[in-house]
């Protein structure tokens, strides 16, 4: 039996404009903390930023509000690196877990847990998406937050799984580092929801991924979801280069395929650690035991610090060979890498103008029973 990942929540704030919304009242009852009304969020933002560690404070404070923009957004890729044309479902922001490398701690200003309760607007956007004539849509909630940290407080996952199950042109990917899967049991998902886990070595998890589930727990949860009929995906991203890391990553691949059937995996992504320069002092301050920012880095085409390309390619080639040996037919791809890396690792380059997206669409059609 898998156990839930612990969540520490100390304060609850509610946007006064949505205080009477049914989802607001429902979540407040489940959370069980006194709700403090907020007329103007600027004061809340200032309070978060006044902390000695705003990131730590922001992970313990939840602000219930509404999404004033669109829920569906294209993945913010860059033209210099191959993008998968993913669609982000922006249902919430930030995360209760604490990973040293997480871009969200410097992406959001201020860093603050926010959940958007205006589901009626989300529902309209999903209706429009499902009505499009586009062949396949790949949608995920794990870009701006972890997909399953919200399980103790909301029925969002139940709602989304049901909405996607009622159509045949789109898949929903729920990406997580938790094991909060109890609510998934018994849902009529029709294989239109993909459960996906970020994986890394135990050495990286121990130092860099606070309050996340262990590798063993994540694989246990994935195996349980497989028994419930869900298709799965895995993301080795960010891989970290350190002494003897190759042996550690090879063991993770072995553990993965000892538990999970290759034919049930929709895709596996690979990506090495990269970061904006502004993240370096934050990691050094918040994670003094971390050494990840002191590797051999150069400035990439997107102005992020990336491992020296020969080092990336060497690790990618080994990872790809181990995965191919275990599962020759599994769709394997890079998250935000250039043509040279693709050619030297995979032996091909996805065609421009959406070639990678079309490759992943085909995999979704084959594994998730979509209508092409």
């Amino acid at each position: 039996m898998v156990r839930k990942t612990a969540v520490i929540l100390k304060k609850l704030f509610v946007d006064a404009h949505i205080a009477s919304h049914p989802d607001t009242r429902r979540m407040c009852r489940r959370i069980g903390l006194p709700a403090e009304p907020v007329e103007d969020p600027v004061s809340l933002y200032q309070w978060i930023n006044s902390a000695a560690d705003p990131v730590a404070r922001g992970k313990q404070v939840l602000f219930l509000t509404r999404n004033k923009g669109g829920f569906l957004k294209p993945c913010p890729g860059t033209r210099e690196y191959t993008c998968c044309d993913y669609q982000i479902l922006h249902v919430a922001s930030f995360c209760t877990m604490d990973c040293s490398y997480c871009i969200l701690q410097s992406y959001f200003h201020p860093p603050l847990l926010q959940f958007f309760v205006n589901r009626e607007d989300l529902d309209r956007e999903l209706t429009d998406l499902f009505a499009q004539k586009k062949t396949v849509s790949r949608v995920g909630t794990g870009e701006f937050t972890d997909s399953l940290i919200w399980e103790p407080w909301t029925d969002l996952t139940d709602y989304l799984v049901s909405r996607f199950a009622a159509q045949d042109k789109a898949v929903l990917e729920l990406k997580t580092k938790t094991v909060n899967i109890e609510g998934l049991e018994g849902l009529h998902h029709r294989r239109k929801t993909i459960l996906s886990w970020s994986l890394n070595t135990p050495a990286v998890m121990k130092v860099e991924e606070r309050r996340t589930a262990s590798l063993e727990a994540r694989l246990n949860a994935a195996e349980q979801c497989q028994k419930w009929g869900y298709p799965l995906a895995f993301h080795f991203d960010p891989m970290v280069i350190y002494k003897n890391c190759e042996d550690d990553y090879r063991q993770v691949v072995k553990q993965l395929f000892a538990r999970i059937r290759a034919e049930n995996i929709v895709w596996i992504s690979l990506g090495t650690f990269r970061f904006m320069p502004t993240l370096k002092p934050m990691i050094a301050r918040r994670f003094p035991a971390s050494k990840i920012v002191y590797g051999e880095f150069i400035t990439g085409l997107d102005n992020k610090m990336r491992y020296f390309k020969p080092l990336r390619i060497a690790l990618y080639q080994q990872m790809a060979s181990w995965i191919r040996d275990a599962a020759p037919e599994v769709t394997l791809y890079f998250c935000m890498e250039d043509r040279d890396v693709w050619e030297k690792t995979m032996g091909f380059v996805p065609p421009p103008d959406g070639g990678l997206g079309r490759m992943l669409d085909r995999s979704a059609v084959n594994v998730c029973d979509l209508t092409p």
Side-chain angles (χ1 to χ4, degrees):
M1 183 65 179
V2 294
R3 298 178 61 188
K4 287 185 178 180
T5 308
V7 173
I8 303 171
L9 196 62
K10 292 185 175 179
K11 278 185 171 291
L12 173 63
F13 293 92
V14 174
D15 185 335
H17 298 92
I18 51 87
S20 62
H21 194 285
D23 279 356
T24 302
R25 294 199 299 265
R26 189 178 303 115
M27 288 187 70
C28 287
R29 286 195 298 270
R30 291 185 179 183
I31 292 167
L33 290 173
E36 301 182 34
V38 175
E39 292 287 346
D40 182 356
V42 171
S43 59
L44 174 57
Y45 302 158
Q46 291 172 339
W47 178 72
I48 294 291
N49 283 329
S50 70
D53 186 349
V55 174
R57 175 174 284 181
K59 289 178 177 294
Q60 299 177 344
V61 174
L62 175 58
F63 181 38
L64 299 181
T65 184
R66 62 185 299 272
N67 188 339
K68 300 178 179 66
F71 279 91
L72 284 164
K73 307 172 185 292
C75 181
T78 60
R79 61 185 178 184
E80 292 86 4
Y81 297 100
T82 304
C83 184
C84 69
D85 298 327
Y86 194 66
Q87 288 199 70
I88 299 165
L89 194 58
H90 190 195
V91 295
S93 299
F94 210 39
C95 183
T96 54
M97 293 175 286
D98 200 10
C99 297
S100 65
Y101 52 76
C102 181
I103 187 61
L104 299 183
Q105 59 190 326
S106 62
Y107 185 84
F108 290 116
H109 300 284
L112 170 65
L113 279 172
Q114 297 186 78
F115 186 87
F116 306 131
V117 303
N118 50 320
R119 188 176 298 180
E120 61 280 2
D121 297 320
L122 167 61
D123 198 67
R124 281 194 292 270
E125 290 192 39
L126 289 178
T127 297
D128 292 341
L129 174 72
F130 299 151
Q132 292 177 2
K133 297 185 183 301
K134 183 179 178 181
T135 304
V136 174
S137 294
R138 288 170 287 108
V139 182
T141 59
E143 185 75 14
F144 296 138
T145 186
D146 183 279
S147 296
L148 296 184
I149 61 168
W150 308 98
E151 289 303 281
W153 308 320
T154 175
D155 64 348
L156 176 68
T157 299
D158 190 338
Y159 160 79
L160 289 175
V161 171
S162 299
R163 285 290 273 129
F164 276 78
Q167 52 76 55
D168 294 296
K169 292 288 188 179
V171 288
L172 170 70
E173 183 176 16
L174 300 176
K175 187 187 300 183
T176 190
K177 292 187 179 83
T178 79
V179 291
N180 296 342
I181 63 169
E182 288 89 343
L184 296 165
E185 183 178 9
L187 297 184
H188 182 59
H189 55 79
R190 293 184 63 239
R191 294 183 64 80
K192 303 303 182 293
T193 294
I194 302 165
L195 268 297
S196 111
W197 274 267
S198 298
L199 299 182
N200 224 308
T201 68
V204 171
M205 290 179 173
K206 181 179 180 180
V207 178
E208 316 296 346
E209 298 184 357
R210 296 171 180 161
R211 298 199 296 274
T212 66
S214 68
L215 175 62
E216 179 71 11
R218 294 182 209 185
L219 293 177
N220 284 344
E223 187 175 27
Q224 183 61 70
C225 287
Q226 178 174 256
K227 292 177 181 177
W228 293 336
Y230 289 93
L232 305 176
F234 299 93
H235 301 278
F236 289 89
D237 189 4
M239 291 191 292
V240 178
I241 297 176
Y242 58 91
K243 186 177 181 180
N244 299 324
C245 70
E246 297 88 352
D247 293 338
D248 291 351
Y249 280 110
R250 187 172 192 176
Q251 287 303 313
V252 177
V253 172
K254 285 183 177 179
Q255 288 178 258
L256 169 62
F257 288 104
R259 311 284 291 276
I260 304 301
R261 300 193 309 271
E263 64 271 19
N264 199 48
I265 298 175
V266 190
W267 47 64
I268 296 175
S269 74
L270 302 178
T272 50
F273 175 51
R274 62 264 188 206
F275 61 98
M276 296 300 294
T278 54
L279 194 60
K280 183 175 180 177
M282 183 174 291
I283 294 174
R285 183 177 68 255
R286 300 195 66 247
F287 291 79
S290 175
K291 302 295 188 292
I292 59 172
V293 293
Y294 304 113
E296 296 183 54
F297 294 101
I298 60 170
T299 304
L301 298 173
D302 55 358
N303 294 317
K304 291 182 179 179
M305 305 305 295
R306 292 172 174 262
Y307 287 118
F308 188 47
K309 187 181 289 188
L311 298 178
R312 303 200 317 264
I313 290 174
L315 181 56
Y316 285 150
Q317 287 175 336
Q318 293 184 81
M319 283 291 289
S321 68
W322 299 328
I323 293 170
R324 291 287 182 230
D325 287 345
E329 302 303 318
V330 163
T331 297
L332 183 64
Y333 74 99
F334 290 118
C335 181
M336 304 307 293
E337 275 292 0
D338 63 24
R339 296 174 59 86
D340 189 42
V341 170
W342 274 91
E343 182 63 47
K344 291 180 178 177
T345 304
M346 302 292 191
F348 73 98
V349 178
D353 301 321
L356 175 56
R358 291 190 294 273
M359 184 177 86
L360 299 179
D361 289 349
R362 287 193 296 271
S363 187
V365 168
N366 292 336
V367 182
C368 302
D369 303 330
L370 294 183
T371 301

